[in-house]
Amino acid sequence: MEQLRSKKGFICDMDGVIYHGGKILPGVENFVQWLYDNDKKFLFLTNNSSNTPLELKLKLQSMGLDVDESHFYTSALATAKFVAKQKHHAKAFVIGQPGLIGALYNEGVAISDTDPDFVIIGDATQQYNYEMVCKAVKFVNNGARLIGTNTDMTVPITDGILPSCHALVSPIELATNKKAYFVGKPNPLMMRTALNILGIHSEEAAMIGDNMDTDVIAGIESGLDTALVLTGVSTRETVEQYPYRPRLILNGVADIADPSIE
């Protein structure tokens, strides 16, 4: 545990690590205070492309946790940065929520359904319908590059799950026989950007997450220390199904701030 606590920076998943449903998880306030008290650099990293950093700040604030918006980074921001670097003044046909559209605008990507360079799909949105899927298929068949903000198939809600980005991209992949490029976790591209934001090297950072398929593998492939918390998706039993392991398995992030736990 001391090896983990000695890290300069922490990259933390949000849902299942910091909160679940509409409630902050037990001990998270102590963990965040520990980060501030020990001058740790940290980012709350989410694959969900729906919200802006300000919206995420306000969301946590409504749950009683105050964190500056500079500590949030989303797959929408990572996707926008990636697309802007791929093509200057790119045009994109987008199916996604305001967090994704705003991020693209801020990076100089034009939202257009006239000969777009990219088709970009984010998380669940009311825009998603048969007509939009048909447009996306047409654009991809005409040469537009298919991009997904993240590989998540589902997103948890209070009373169940909803289809997430990868599930929404799948019909377009099947109809065009072309695979999408996904920017969010576990893509190391997003992790390297997060490290650049924090201004630290991979060996100086730890990835804290609840999902073996995204958080833990992203940390391992990016050279970060890894800790799985048991407050979300993965369990001690499901960990045994994977050929890779996190270095630590914790009950929750509260363990990191508790000096009695070694």
Side-chain angles (χ1 to χ4, degrees), residues 51-60 69 72:
N51 298 315
T52 66
L54 177 57
E55 288 168 337
L56 292 172
K57 167 188 165 64
L58 295 175
K59 180 176 183 175
L60 291 193
E69 64 185 282
F72 298 93

Side-chain angles (χ1 to χ4, degrees), residues 15-16 20-21 154-162 233:
D15 196 358
H20 186 66
T154 61
V155 58
I157 57 174
T158 304
D159 57 352
I161 60 171
L162 292 175
V233 174

Side-chain angles (χ1 to χ4, degrees), residues 209-224:
D210 69 307
N211 193 322
M212 290 288 289
D213 290 313
T214 53
D215 304 319
V216 172
I217 189 62
I220 290 172
E221 292 185 348
S222 303
L224 280 69

Side-chain angles (χ1 to χ4, degrees), residues 8-24:
K8 289 183 179 180
F10 289 81
I11 298 174
C12 303
D13 183 43
M14 293 188 67
D15 196 358
V17 177
I18 303 302
Y19 65 87
H20 186 66
K23 294 183 178 179
I24 295 295

